Amino acid sequence: MAAVSRNHRRLGKSMKIGQRGVVTEAAGFKVEDDIQRLRGAMKGTGTDEAAIIEVLARRTIAQRQRIKEGYKQQVGKNLADDLDSELSGNFQKVVMGLLMLAPVYDAYELRSSMKGAGTEEAALIDILASRTTEEMKAINAVYKKEYDNSLEDDVCGDTSGMFQRVLVSLLTAGRDESSAVDQALAAQDAKDIYEAGEARWGTDEVKFLTVLCARNRNHLLKVFEEYKKISGRDIEDSIKREMSGSLEEVFLAIVKCLRNKPGFFAERLYKSMKGLGTTDSVLIRTMVARAEIDMLDIKVEFFKMYGKTLYSFIKGDTSGDYRKILLELCGEDK
């Protein structure tokens, strides 16, 4: 995992972090004290995982960057490398994610999802369907710098068909970011989607792509209202009827993120843990990426949707230090 460059630090500062995160700036933050605690946690035989959790899961991304820089100055080594060699398993994956700036982590997750045999479509969908235009531009810049290839080229080399076209449309970050709603256009968009799907034999997916990947959020919420009036169905129901597989998943993700992004992530977390086994890649990625942005809202939505707290779900589905660090990122059991 590459060290964070000056460019990356600048990108991190430009990212607007929301005020609905569980992880907030640690009061009385002293870089020197945190470096000493981390060094102590890795000295001698064995590792003090509790100290690592206490420092890294309770600091913001910006504070962690300062710890990384200070560590390198004082020890002459990368903190990420030292921790990587000390830790293992899912706990290690969470810690490594916490040490990265948001666009660096997203780029890393996208790259990992396409490396080797097979593709983890969930990572491509979760990240590309949910990030803002500004976030997507930062991810593209980091990806190019880190991996010496464009994200678009890698996505095109690893996916195909209409699914690929939707992903490319999302990663080019061309969505209208205004809040203007054109009533006449919203009605026309709804009609176009209806005629491209429910009203015909077969589905013209391009029309769905054109509307869902380009229009601004407020406009699309109006389109969804108009669509229900015309078709008598919710847009999500129509997508489920008209599409299948990864294409269905990505279009549903776009709609859900536009309507209620914390609700989308609450559902992803629930599905990653329900039933037998845990989809750790989804659980880790969501907890690390949203801890500082909207975890408070995700927890509210999770309880509303499933009648149980996210905390209790994580506690019942994970174990050891992996469980402990995820619960720190989740915050209180409420």
Side-chain angles (χ1 to χ4, degrees):
M1 295 178 194
V4 176
S5 68
R6 283 193 187 86
N7 266 352
H8 289 167
R9 290 202 295 275
R10 180 179 52 71
L11 278 166
K13 285 171 189 168
S14 75
M15 302 297 285
K16 286 176 183 153
I17 301 298
Q19 300 304 307
R20 300 293 299 159
V22 161
V23 177
T24 55
E25 283 202 355
F29 170 62
K30 291 191 176 74
V31 176
E32 182 63 42
D33 291 353
D34 284 350
I35 291 168
Q36 290 312 315
R37 284 209 69 190
L38 291 169
R39 287 189 72 186
M42 293 184 277
K43 261 188 192 155
T45 53
T47 309
D48 183 356
E49 285 89 355
I52 292 167
I53 293 169
E54 203 170 302
V55 173
L56 296 180
R58 295 180 185 175
R59 305 292 182 269
T60 60
I61 296 169
Q63 288 176 327
R64 290 182 212 124
Q65 299 314 303
R66 289 180 59 194
I67 294 167
K68 281 173 68 178
E69 287 165 13
Y71 189 94
K72 193 166 190 177
Q73 286 164 1
Q74 292 184 30
V75 184
K77 290 171 79 181
N78 285 327
L79 175 59
D81 293 343
D82 282 357
L83 285 167
D84 200 25
S85 64
E86 289 278 329
L87 310 175
S88 62
N90 288 323
F91 178 62
Q92 176 198 55
K93 288 174 185 171
V94 177
V95 170
M96 292 298 104
L98 291 175
L99 290 173
M100 297 183 207
L101 287 164
V104 179
Y105 183 57
D106 281 343
Y108 171 77
E109 285 290 296
L110 289 166
R111 176 72 169 188
S112 300
S113 76
M114 295 183 281
K115 258 193 333 197
T119 306
E120 192 206 341
E121 279 92 358
L124 295 173
I125 293 167
D126 287 1
I127 295 170
L128 300 183
S130 67
R131 301 311 190 247
T132 65
T133 297
E134 184 186 356
E135 287 167 342
M136 205 58 247
K137 285 175 180 169
I139 293 163
N140 275 304
V142 168
Y143 195 98
K144 179 81 177 165
K145 186 172 177 57
E146 287 290 314
Y147 306 113
D148 201 27
N149 203 13
S150 76
L151 176 57
E152 182 177 339
D153 285 348
D154 280 357
V155 166
C156 285
D158 224 64
T159 58
S160 61
M162 187 53 64
F163 177 56
Q164 177 196 92
R165 288 168 69 175
V166 175
L167 295 179
V168 168
S169 181
L170 292 171
L171 69 83
T172 51
R175 185 184 296 285
D176 169 21
E177 286 286 283
S178 76
S179 55
V181 178
D182 182 330
Q183 298 284 353
L185 182 60
Q188 185 62 49
D189 283 343
K191 184 168 176 282
D192 287 348
I193 291 177
Y194 177 66
E195 289 176 354
E198 293 281 0
R200 57 174 277 170
W201 183 259
T203 308
D204 177 5
E205 292 105 343
V206 176
K207 188 54 73 175
F208 280 80
L209 184 159
T210 303
V211 175
L212 293 178
C213 297
R215 310 283 194 253
N216 73 60
R217 178 174 181 265
N218 285 358
H219 180 88
L220 282 167
L221 293 178
K222 188 65 184 171
V223 172
F224 302 155
E225 271 179 44
E226 294 294 327
Y227 184 86
K228 186 141 194 190
K229 285 182 203 167
I230 296 168
S231 69
R233 289 184 201 285
D234 187 84
I235 185 73
E236 288 181 35
D237 293 333
S238 287
I239 289 169
K240 287 172 189 169
R241 283 163 58 90
E242 295 293 318
M243 323 267 180
S244 62
S246 298
L247 185 62
E248 176 190 335
E249 290 294 321
V250 73
F251 276 133
L252 284 175
I254 292 166
V255 172
K256 287 173 181 176
C257 284
L258 288 162
R259 282 179 159 166
N260 179 354
K261 201 178 284 186
F264 168 75
F265 285 116
E267 182 185 6
R268 298 297 289 129
L269 287 167
Y270 175 76
K271 286 183 174 175
S272 77
M273 293 182 279
K274 80 175 176 99
L276 286 172
T278 305
T279 312
D280 292 296
S281 58
V282 174
L283 177 57
I284 292 167
R285 180 170 55 249
T286 309
M287 295 303 295
V288 170
R290 309 315 292 185
E292 203 174 320
I293 299 173
D294 53 3
M295 188 56 67
L296 293 172
D297 295 325
I298 291 168
K299 287 166 68 176
V300 168
E301 294 299 325
F302 193 97
F303 189 77
K304 258 198 258 178
M305 292 159 78
Y306 306 110
K308 292 182 176 176
T309 62
L310 176 58
Y311 187 100
S312 68
F313 239 72
I314 292 170
K315 192 173 182 182
D317 215 69
T318 55
S319 61
D321 295 310
Y322 177 43
R323 173 203 276 163
K324 287 174 189 168
I325 198 163
L326 288 180
L327 291 178
E328 278 290 338
L329 297 176
C330 175
E332 296 172 348
D333 186 11
K334 62 178 186 178

